[in-house]
């Protein structure tokens, strides 16, 4: 047993079931990479950018690794150093025509963000755009979701940047001389060894449970209860919103709303709840007003928002991969006053926190470890192939896709909140002025939002599939409108409180 553990310790890093799900669940029309757009003052040249990234590769070892798949998907893929790694294969340069406005740039940015990443290389890309709205530089960052979640992705981004403009050159590590990639036979052997180790660990746990039958029965009953509760919740009808009506195609559009973090704190302080409650109030009310504008019959069904929740523990800080659970927030699909909307969101999130829904969902995610990788891989091939075929059929025969609207699959959209640095950061001496988060769209989730905080600003990155939501600017306008109403209500509340205090003191 000790010898087997020693051998297992030398195994290359293997994808977790949660990480692997983003590989298995990816399709041509629903690629599963995340990223952001960052803006910088001044001009950054390509060679300068390449040199900056090359000097930091020893801080970003996963950027030099690619996936090595196991024959027959007997085990999940491993991360292996890429012997053909070259930074220039991942950094691309684009020059915008003079007079390019920001909305035109965002369209160009989505053309490079939308396509799948090449699985034959490390799963990341950076696209450098010069001439954005003057002499600014913008960078589009793409990282596969199997590599990072929101928290680890922000840590990876931070390691690529500097805390001040005059930082000394990064320490150059030893030359990168990776070994050859493991061949199919070695990958299969290591996969079998990993499976044996996993089964022995399961047997050890089963033996421990056998010694404590009541604890084992309680754990099993709790898992079954949680699974049943989740199925009931996801089975409840929700709004069949227009952005959920069909499977997404490969096109993407992006708009954003930039707010002051201090203003959102003022809303929280005056009206209660958390900053995240205010964010969800803005997004849910914007969605309700969007549906009302399009005279969409909601039939009284709620909007359900999937909110990823980080479950990283203290010792997991700095680790890559995914450590995420999910909280499902249900909101009324009928428009209402912004202050009333916030109050309803606070009631909903407070109830969810009290029931421990995010922790419950984490138990189900961990249960995915019991599903054999080969079964997951086969299921993904069949499912993603069917999805892509259905999208192509709908593009060839648009009338068919309009005739058969899909029911929403559990949620209407995802809203992920990613905290970033609250001080300015720099690249090659240029100050990063803003950051917009980009989230994946897949299946029939044709609209989602990444909320990113940076340098005391909160930016809502609204991503949509343009045939399902051709007027993304309208959703953005409603979000801005709701925020202004919340600010007005906060000022009124603060003024009333001040008047009451003054009267009491007098």
């Amino acid at each position: 047993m000790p010898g087997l553990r020693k051998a297992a310790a030398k195994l290359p890093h293997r994808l977790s079931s949660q990480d692997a799900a983003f590989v298995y669940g990816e399709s041509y029309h629903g690629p599963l990479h995340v990223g952001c757009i960052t803006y910088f003052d001044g001009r950054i040249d390509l060679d300068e950018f390449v040199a900056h990234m090359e000097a930091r590769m020893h801080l970003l070892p996963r950027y030099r690794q690619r996936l090595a798949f196991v024959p027959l998907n007997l085990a999940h893929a491993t991360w292996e150093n890429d012997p053909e790694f070259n930074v220039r294969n991942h950094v691309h340069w684009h020059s915008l025509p003079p007079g390019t406005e920001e909305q035109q740039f965002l369209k160009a940015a989505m053309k490079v963000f939308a396509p799948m990443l090449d699985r034959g290389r490390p799963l990341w890309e950076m696209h450098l755009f010069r001439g954005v709205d003057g002499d600014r530089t913008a960078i589009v960052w793409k990282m596969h979701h199997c590599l990072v979640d929101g928290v680890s992705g922000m840590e990876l981004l931070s390691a690529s940047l500097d805390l001040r403009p005059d930082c000394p050159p990064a320490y150059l590590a030893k030359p990168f001389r990776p070994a050859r990639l493991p061949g199919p036979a070695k990958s299969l052997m290591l996969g079998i060894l990993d499976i044996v180790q996993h089964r022995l660990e399961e047997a050890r746990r089963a033996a421990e449970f056998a010694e404590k039958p009541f604890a084992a029965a309680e754990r099993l009953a709790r898992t079954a209860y949680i699974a049943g509760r989740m199925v009931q919740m996801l089975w409840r009808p929700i709004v069949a919103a227009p952005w959920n009506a069909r499977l997404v195609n490969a096109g993407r559009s992006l708009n954003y709303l930039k707010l002051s973090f201090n203003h959102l704190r003022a809303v929280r302080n005056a009206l209660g709840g958390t900053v995240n409650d205010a964010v969800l109030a803005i997004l849910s009310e914007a969605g309700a007003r969007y549906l009302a504008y399009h005279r969409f019959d909601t039939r009284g069904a709620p909007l359900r928002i999937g909110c990823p929740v980080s479950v990283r523990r203290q010792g997991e800080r700095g680790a890559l991969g995914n450590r995420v659970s999910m909280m499902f927030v249900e909101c009324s699909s009928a428009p209402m006053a912004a202050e009333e909307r916030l109050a309803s969101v606070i009631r909903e999130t407070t109830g969810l926190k009290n029931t421990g829904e995010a922790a419950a969902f984490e138990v189900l995610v961990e249960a995915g470890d019991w599903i054999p990788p080969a079964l997951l891989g086969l299921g993904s091939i069949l499912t993603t192939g069917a999805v892509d075929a259905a999208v192509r059929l709908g593009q060839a025969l648009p009338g068919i896709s309009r005739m058969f609207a899909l029911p929403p699959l559990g949620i209407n959209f995802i809203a992920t909140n990613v905290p970033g640095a609250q001080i300015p950061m720099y690249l090659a001496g240029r100050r990063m002025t803003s950051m917009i988060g980009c989230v994946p769209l897949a299946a029939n989730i044709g609209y989602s939002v990444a909320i990113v905080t940076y340098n005391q600003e909160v930016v809502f990155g609204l991503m949509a599939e343009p045939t399902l939501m051709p007027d993304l600017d309208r959703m953005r306008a409603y979000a801005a409108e709701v925020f202004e109403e919340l600010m007005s209500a906060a000022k009124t509340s603060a003024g009333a409180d001040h008047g009451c205090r003054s009267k009491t003191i007098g």
Side-chain angles (χ1 to χ4, degrees), residues 49-66 79-82 85 87 90-91 122-124 126 141 143 147-148 152-161 170-171 173 176 318 320 427:
F49 183 40
V50 170
H52 177 93
M53 294 306 303
E54 284 179 334
R56 284 156 179 76
M57 279 299 112
H58 64 286
L59 302 174
L60 307 162
R62 191 67 91 218
Y63 271 10
R64 299 190 294 201
Q65 295 181 323
R66 53 166 290 186
W79 291 108
E80 305 288 350
N81 289 329
D82 183 3
F85 175 76
V87 170
H90 300 266
V91 176
L123 294 173
W124 63 277
M126 297 175 184
W141 310 69
M143 295 165 280
L147 174 65
V148 293
S152 58
M154 191 61 71
E155 291 176 350
L156 209 57
L157 176 65
S158 298
S160 305
L161 303 173
Y171 167 73
F176 180 62
L320 299 182
L427 190 150

Side-chain angles (χ1 to χ4, degrees), residues 30-107:
L32 296 179
H33 54 263
V34 296
C36 63
I37 299 174
T38 54
Y39 293 88
F40 296 87
D41 286 330
R43 175 176 296 194
I44 302 174
D45 293 326
L46 177 62
D47 289 343
E48 191 176 20
F49 183 40
V50 170
H52 177 93
M53 294 306 303
E54 284 179 334
R56 284 156 179 76
M57 279 299 112
H58 64 286
L59 302 174
L60 307 162
R62 191 67 91 218
Y63 271 10
R64 299 190 294 201
Q65 295 181 323
R66 53 166 290 186
L67 290 179
F69 292 91
V70 178
L72 306 176
N73 275 336
L74 189 66
H76 297 315
T78 57
W79 291 108
E80 305 288 350
N81 289 329
D82 183 3
E84 299 179 356
F85 175 76
N86 188 329
V87 170
R88 290 186 180 272
N89 290 334
H90 300 266
V91 176
H92 309 278
W93 179 79
H94 309 267
S95 182
L96 296 169
T100 298
E101 297 180 352
E102 189 172 32
Q103 287 302 314
Q104 294 172 308
F105 158 66
L106 291 178
K107 289 182 180 179

Side-chain angles (χ1 to χ4, degrees), residues 15-27 30-33 67 69 73 76-77 79 116 119 123 144-147 322 376-377 380-381 384:
L15 291 179
S16 69
S17 295
Q18 190 176 29
D19 294 340
F22 291 107
V23 177
Y24 299 141
E26 183 174 50
S27 69
L32 296 179
H33 54 263
L67 290 179
F69 292 91
N73 275 336
H76 297 315
W79 291 108
M116 289 178 66
R119 292 191 186 179
L123 294 173
H144 201 283
H145 217 325
C146 73
L147 174 65
N322 291 268
L376 285 174
S380 73
I381 292 172
T384 57

Side-chain angles (χ1 to χ4, degrees), residues 52-306:
H52 177 93
M53 294 306 303
E54 284 179 334
R56 284 156 179 76
M57 279 299 112
H58 64 286
L59 302 174
L60 307 162
R62 191 67 91 218
Y63 271 10
R64 299 190 294 201
Q65 295 181 323
R66 53 166 290 186
L67 290 179
F69 292 91
V70 178
L72 306 176
N73 275 336
L74 189 66
H76 297 315
T78 57
W79 291 108
E80 305 288 350
N81 289 329
D82 183 3
E84 299 179 356
F85 175 76
N86 188 329
V87 170
R88 290 186 180 272
N89 290 334
H90 300 266
V91 176
H92 309 278
W93 179 79
H94 309 267
S95 182
L96 296 169
T100 298
E101 297 180 352
E102 189 172 32
Q103 287 302 314
Q104 294 172 308
F105 158 66
L106 291 178
K107 289 182 180 179
M110 287 302 97
K111 286 183 179 179
V112 300
F113 180 81
M116 289 178 66
L117 290 162
D118 182 358
R119 292 191 186 179
R121 290 178 173 168
L123 294 173
W124 63 277
E125 288 179 1
M126 297 175 184
H127 294 263
L128 184 74
F129 284 83
R130 279 220 324 242
V132 180
D133 193 20
D135 201 33
R136 291 189 299 164
T137 298
I139 300 175
V140 178
W141 310 69
K142 296 173 61 173
M143 295 165 280
H144 201 283
H145 217 325
C146 73
L147 174 65
V148 293
D149 57 19
V151 173
S152 58
M154 191 61 71
E155 291 176 350
L156 209 57
L157 176 65
S158 298
S160 305
L161 303 173
D162 297 322
L163 294 176
R164 54 181 218 265
D166 57 347
C167 273
Y171 167 73
L172 294 177
K174 296 179 181 179
F176 180 62
R177 296 192 180 95
R180 289 187 304 172
L181 290 172
K186 184 176 181 180
S187 292
L188 187 61
M189 179 190 69
L190 293 174
I192 292 172
L193 182 61
D194 205 16
I195 290 172
V196 170
Q197 172 67 16
H198 187 62
R199 293 294 178 263
L200 289 173
E201 182 64 21
E202 288 177 354
R204 184 187 65 78
R205 291 179 184 174
E208 290 179 354
F209 282 137
E211 295 175 359
K212 304 174 182 178
F214 292 108
E218 183 180 355
R219 180 182 176 85
L220 184 62
R222 180 171 177 266
T223 302
Y225 169 74
I226 289 169
R229 199 176 72 189
M230 284 290 172
V231 169
Q232 287 180 350
M233 183 272 295
L234 294 173
W235 191 256
R236 290 198 301 267
I238 57 175
V239 169
W243 60 81
N244 304 127
R246 300 187 306 278
L247 294 169
V248 301
N249 65 29
R252 299 292 181 267
S253 59
L254 180 71
N255 210 323
Y256 69 94
L257 174 65
K258 187 184 297 185
L259 305 176
S260 163
F261 201 8
N262 287 333
H263 287 169
L264 283 174
R265 286 194 190 103
V267 169
R268 174 200 65 188
N269 294 339
L271 303 180
T274 65
V275 168
N276 196 53
D277 289 333
V279 166
L280 291 175
I282 291 169
L283 293 176
S284 60
E285 182 59 26
R289 295 182 187 188
Y290 181 92
L291 295 174
Y293 172 83
H294 286 283
R295 299 181 180 179
F296 190 81
D297 184 7
T298 66
R299 303 180 185 274
L303 281 165
R304 185 180 295 138
I305 308 172

